[in-house]
Amino acid sequence: MAAISREEVAHLAHLARLAVNDAELDTFAGQLDVILQAVARVGEVTAADIPPTSHSVPLTNVLREDVVTPGLTRDEALSGAPDVAEDRFRVPRILDEEA
Amino acid sequence: MTTTAPSTVEEVITRYEPVIGLETHVELGTRTKMFCGCPTEFGAEPNTQVCPVCLGLPGSLPVANKAAIEATIRIGLALNCSIATWCRFARKNYFYPDMPKDYQISQYDEPLCVDGYLDVEVEGQTVRVGIERVHLEEDTGKTLHIGGATGRIHGATESLVDYNRAGIPLVEIVTKPVAGTGALAPAVARAYVTELRDIIRSLGVSDVRMEQGSLRCDVNTSLNRPGEEWGTRTETKNVNSLRSVERAVRSEMLRQAAVLDAGGKITQETRHFHEDTGETTSGRSKETATDYRYFPDPDLVPLAPDPAWVEELKAALPEPPRVHRERLREQWGVSEHDMQSIINAGAVELIEATVAEGASPDAARKWWLGELARRANETGVELAEVGATPAHVAELQRLVDEGKLTDKLARTVLEGVVAGEGSPSEVVAARGLEVVSDTGALTAAVDEAIAANPDVAQKVRDGKVAAAGALVGAVMKATKGQADAKTVRELILSRLGAA
Ligand SMILES: [Zn+2]
């Protein structure tokens, strides 16, 4: 059985706002399936005494003091914006979504 | 089954039981943001408190703010939570321009604090509100929708984004469902948010100002028939004052009861609360659950708060507001019933501060619960926002105590203060409201009144002291109410040899 279905790939593409056509869906579903199956092999060797790894370095509590550090000027901040209005980033409205 | 919609909560609970839940977001008052060193000052020019980290520029890396972690643990401890010994931040992925990274750093299945409670007093009863979790995340940027009529996205053609707020530490406090409170549900919701606000303020970790958005509240409400399973809940957003928390629950209870009475079904959805009407309107439907694809943020290493540090923080917690209030109650010499009125009016800290400014507890209570509470009610604002400060009230009472203002004049002065005309002394000077205490001027007014009313004066001379009232009235009229009636009366009696 495939590790990921064509429908799941279509759903993920929608969530990531990627325009994927039918031919591409077939291609990606196949490719992703191979990748997932390869990764799944790791599961075959896990043991109960090995916790899942989410971070590659064995560190905890990397924290900073609450001290202001210089950031960007407004012009610098807006320099990479596709469009600017009223000192703000101007973006197209997002259809039918409200956070 | 009734055919008319219920008009009171009492009527609703004859047929249904409410279950409420509250999600509260508190912006922490740290100097810098959660994962970068950008300042967090309120009201700065757009996009002037930003850096590569909070703008999500490639190659930037977040580092967690120790003060924010500490503040969150202290909030958790004050809410009787267990503190995680190990937990991770997670990415909450969503497609919306208020976060430039296209994800918000939050906590998912490993919150920093879990399983606590908060006891609140409502109408003489103690209600225990369970706390599900307290977790830490980052606030989003502010979007301004252009082209729409109301700043909402409907009808808007584009959005303008300011990322100053993006990345400010935000603590989310989620209650367990609160059932079994019946008609008290709206009051319980308000009491909970009030108590939570007081606790957080006492910790000094946030200014918790609802009107500035540093404390924001979402209210979940559902109804079920007695003995049946809990009903479908709605989530009311945009609840921006303590009064609105109560109104939002009440309004949802009435609305849902009407729908259920008519044989309808409640849709699980987000609803928007409108301050002007006190009602909610339908927002986004939640039929399709949002797929946030949470996963541990690989850029941030896990948190493992040292239990010894947590114990230290616990030992150093301030006196809880409830204990503090009981101590104040004894100091002020008020009954439990009167203290409850003070709490309900949101006047505890105001009276405390007014006493600290030199007023007596009785005088402070009189002004805040009298004139000012009435005024706040009329204008629909919180007492603290009514326009007078504790320093103003203490100064006003000082002027009364010094005989410079009568009680009646003081009320007029207070009107001026509330209207923003300045401090009591400034209002007195500007409006010329000072008591006529110049004995010469007052004696002249008294003599004039006696001369103008010879019959009345004669009655007083003959021993009918009660008749002096008419003369007092004449003098008060002549001094435009700015004389102290008691002084005037004494002066009249002494001039007429009746004293
Ligand atoms: Zn920043």
Side-chain angles (χ1 to χ4, degrees):
Chain A
M1 202 189 109
I4 188 164
S5 71
R6 196 173 177 281
E7 287 68 36
E8 284 172 308
V9 177
H11 175 61
L12 289 170
H14 169 72
L15 289 174
R17 301 305 188 270
L18 294 173
V20 180
N21 63 34
D22 280 355
E24 287 169 328
L25 271 184
D26 290 332
T27 309
F28 294 146
Q31 288 180 351
L32 284 167
D33 189 44
V34 172
I35 294 167
L36 286 172
Q37 302 228 17
V39 174
R41 291 189 62 195
V42 176
E44 292 167 16
V45 296
T46 54
D49 59 343
I50 303 173
T53 303
S54 62
H55 295 77
S56 55
V57 286
L59 287 174
T60 55
N61 299 331
V62 176
L63 305 172
R64 39 173 279 273
E65 296 298 321
D66 187 21
V67 175
V68 173
T69 51
L72 300 172
T73 65
R74 183 165 59 205
D75 288 346
E76 285 168 338
L78 294 170
S79 64
D83 199 0
V84 173
E86 296 176 38
D87 299 328
R88 294 167 171 90
F89 293 78
R90 174 148 75 178
V91 296
R93 78 155 192 165
I94 305 304
L95 283 164
D96 303 325
E97 287 185 42
E98 186 155 15
Chain B
M1 190 171 284
T2 54
T3 48
T4 52
S7 57
T8 65
V9 162
E10 284 70 24
E11 195 188 334
V12 170
I13 61 141
T14 60
R15 301 190 284 284
Y16 304 101
E17 289 173 353
V19 179
I20 56 169
L22 294 112
E23 287 177 25
T24 312
H25 284 95
V26 175
E27 236 180 34
L28 293 179
T30 50
R31 278 186 287 276
T32 66
K33 292 188 181 181
M34 186 60 226
F35 299 110
C36 62
C38 286
T40 54
E41 259 133 67
F42 183 78
E45 291 293 308
N47 295 304
T48 54
Q49 301 186 152
V50 292
C51 75
V53 174
C54 54
L55 285 181
L57 299 185
S60 62
L61 280 173
V63 186
N65 183 337
K66 188 181 174 188
I69 308 278
E70 179 177 312
T72 307
I73 292 175
R74 292 178 69 225
I75 292 173
L77 290 170
L79 296 175
N80 307 291
C81 289
S82 312
I83 308 304
T85 51
W86 192 88
C87 65
R88 290 174 296 189
F89 286 105
R91 291 187 183 178
K92 177 182 178 180
N93 299 277
Y94 66 99
F95 194 77
Y96 197 74
D98 64 359
M99 279 315 259
K101 298 190 293 286
D102 271 352
Y103 61 83
Q104 178 191 28
I105 304 175
S106 181
Q107 292 193 287
Y108 182 49
D109 50 354
E110 298 167 1
L112 200 44
C113 322
V114 292
D115 197 22
Y117 62 85
L118 178 59
D119 287 336
V120 298
E121 300 284 335
V122 181
E123 295 186 11
Q125 296 179 39
T126 302
V127 177
R128 176 159 291 190
V129 177
I131 304 293
E132 176 83 30
R133 57 189 281 152
V134 178
H135 80 238
L136 190 49
E137 58 189 32
E138 54 179 345
D139 209 346
T140 58
K142 270 191 184 148
T143 31
L144 206 67
H145 301 299
I146 304 297
T150 59
R152 291 216 172 282
I153 199 156
H154 284 293
T157 51
E158 52 195 20
S159 306
L160 304 183
V161 197
D162 167 16
Y163 290 117
N164 282 349
R165 200 179 64 183
I168 291 183
L170 197 62
V171 172
E172 181 174 321
I173 301 149
V174 183
T175 69
K176 296 176 181 174
V178 185
T181 57
L184 288 181
V188 168
R190 179 185 181 143
Y192 165 77
V193 180
T194 308
E195 190 69 17
L196 183 64
R197 181 198 63 174
D198 290 351
I199 283 183
I200 291 169
R201 191 186 285 147
S202 78
L203 294 171
V205 296
S206 168
D207 58 5
V208 281
R209 292 173 69 108
M210 290 190 96
E211 74 287 356
Q212 284 190 359
S214 57
L215 187 153
R216 313 198 276 272
C217 201
D218 300 341
V219 184
N220 296 326
T221 313
S222 72
L223 294 181
N224 59 275
R225 292 191 186 274
E228 292 184 1
E229 275 181 32
W230 289 352
T232 304
R233 67 192 166 91
T234 58
E235 183 178 12
T236 305
K237 294 199 177 267
N238 203 20
V239 189
N240 293 328
S241 72
L242 294 171
R243 191 165 151 259
S244 298
V245 170
E246 186 168 354
R247 290 164 78 211
V249 174
R250 184 179 298 127
S251 148
E252 265 306 279
M253 284 176 71
L254 294 176
R255 187 191 69 83
Q256 292 186 15
V259 171
L260 295 170
D261 279 351
K265 277 199 164 63
I266 303 300
T267 313
Q268 188 175 347
E269 62 182 353
T270 300
R271 298 186 67 85
H272 294 288
F273 182 75
H274 301 279
E275 295 275 346
D276 47 353
T277 60
E279 292 181 355
T280 68
T281 55
S282 180
R284 176 179 39 157
S285 164
K286 281 207 171 168
E287 275 163 37
T288 49
T290 321
D291 187 349
Y292 289 125
R293 293 155 293 145
Y294 284 97
F295 65 90
D297 192 318
D299 287 345
L300 288 155
V301 302
L303 293 175
D306 180 357
W309 180 48
V310 172
E311 276 310 308
E312 257 172 56
L313 294 177
K314 191 173 185 175
L317 284 180
E319 182 179 53
R322 285 181 84 195
V323 177
H324 182 64
R325 281 197 301 262
E326 182 54 23
R327 200 159 50 75
L328 288 178
R329 190 184 72 76
E330 282 169 20
Q331 279 173 13
W332 295 347
V334 299
S335 69
E336 279 180 28
H337 178 266
D338 286 349
M339 193 64 187
Q340 198 55 49
S341 309
I342 294 173
I343 294 166
N344 292 347
V348 177
E349 285 159 351
L350 295 167
I351 293 174
E352 190 182 8
T354 307
V355 171
E357 293 278 351
S360 73
D362 281 350
R365 189 155 64 98
K366 182 188 87 176
W367 290 115
W368 285 110
L369 293 195
E371 283 300 294
L372 292 167
R374 187 179 56 75
R375 178 86 191 187
N377 247 328
E378 278 171 10
T379 48
V381 298
E382 302 290 333
L383 194 52
E385 310 301 326
V386 77
T389 65
H392 287 150
V393 174
E395 187 189 341
L396 188 76
Q397 184 58 39
R398 196 152 50 241
L399 293 173
V400 173
D401 292 344
E402 288 167 359
K404 290 183 179 154
L405 287 179
T406 60
D407 244 43
K408 186 157 166 282
L409 279 176
R411 264 184 265 276
T412 311
V413 171
L414 200 53
E415 263 171 40
V417 172
V418 167
E421 292 170 26
S423 72
S425 304
E426 285 164 356
V427 174
V428 167
R431 292 199 184 187
L433 287 173
E434 193 153 352
V435 167
V436 179
S437 53
D438 169 0
T439 322
L442 213 51
T443 308
V446 165
D447 288 346
E448 250 170 63
I450 290 171
N453 301 279
D455 297 351
V456 179
Q458 194 52 49
K459 279 184 190 163
V460 178
R461 282 196 198 94
D462 292 345
K464 285 187 183 160
V465 177
L471 296 173
V472 174
V475 174
M476 293 305 284
K477 202 175 164 198
T479 56
K480 298 194 186 76
Q482 284 172 236
D484 178 35
K486 196 163 154 252
T487 311
V488 170
R489 188 182 170 82
E490 281 164 8
L491 202 54
I492 289 167
L493 294 182
S494 96
R495 296 297 275 182
L496 295 176

